[in-house]
Every structure is written in C-alpha cells, then in structure tokens.
Amino acid sequence: KQPMHADEIRQLLHATPFRPFTVFLPNEKAFAVPHQDFAILTPKGRTLIVAHSEKEAVDLLDVALIARVEVQEMDVSGS
C-alpha cells in the first residue's frame, strides 16, 4: 500500500462535512483527529501536527511515514 500524501490528508481536514479520522504509523501507533481543530498540516505538507483531546500536548508526524488513515463512517441514522 502506498503511503499517504499531503493532498489526501488536506482533503480530509477540509472535507464538508468533516468526518473524524485516525492516522496510523507503520508500527500501528494511532493518532485520532476528532475535529478539524485538532490537526494542522504544514504549508509544504511534510508534517501533520495532531493535538491531544485530553491534554495540552501535540504530536508532530512526518507525513511520509503515515501508513494509513481510517475515516469514521457517517451516521446515516440521523441520530
């Protein structure tokens, strides 16, 4: 499988409506992005900055090392 590209992550971050997603590194370490406010892609797209929801901390991820992304399914029930 091909690694993620910055453009793909940028599309996820700017999607309307936004769908929460989780970024995985090759070692399966996961980084949740529950809302657009929790992540920023640097202008050149080399680094994804992901904020933790439970504490005032961030992770800096090398986009080239992102193995995959899982996007949360839409709630079609309307609840």
Side-chain angles (χ1 to χ4, degrees), residues 5 22 34 40 42 50 59 61 63 65 70 73 77:
H5 295 283
T22 303
I40 186 170
T42 57
V50 180
D59 285 301
L61 308 178
V63 171
L65 297 180
E70 289 183 5
E73 294 298 320
S77 68

Side-chain angles (χ1 to χ4, degrees), residues 5-74:
H5 295 283
D7 289 341
E8 296 171 274
I9 295 173
R10 192 171 281 112
Q11 287 176 357
L12 290 171
L13 288 171
H14 296 287
T16 303
F18 176 81
R19 292 171 59 191
F21 61 92
T22 303
V23 175
F24 291 88
L25 298 182
N27 65 3
E28 290 299 310
K29 184 161 182 175
F31 302 86
V33 181
H35 186 273
Q36 291 159 314
D37 291 345
F38 286 84
I40 186 170
L41 191 62
T42 57
K44 291 189 178 180
R46 293 184 186 144
T47 305
L48 179 67
I49 303 165
V50 180
H52 295 265
S53 58
E54 68 278 353
K55 58 186 175 183
E56 289 291 322
V58 296
D59 285 301
L60 303 177
L61 308 178
D62 184 336
V63 171
L65 297 180
I66 294 173
R68 64 187 170 93
V69 173
E70 289 183 5
V71 180
Q72 183 175 312
E73 294 298 320
M74 295 291 290

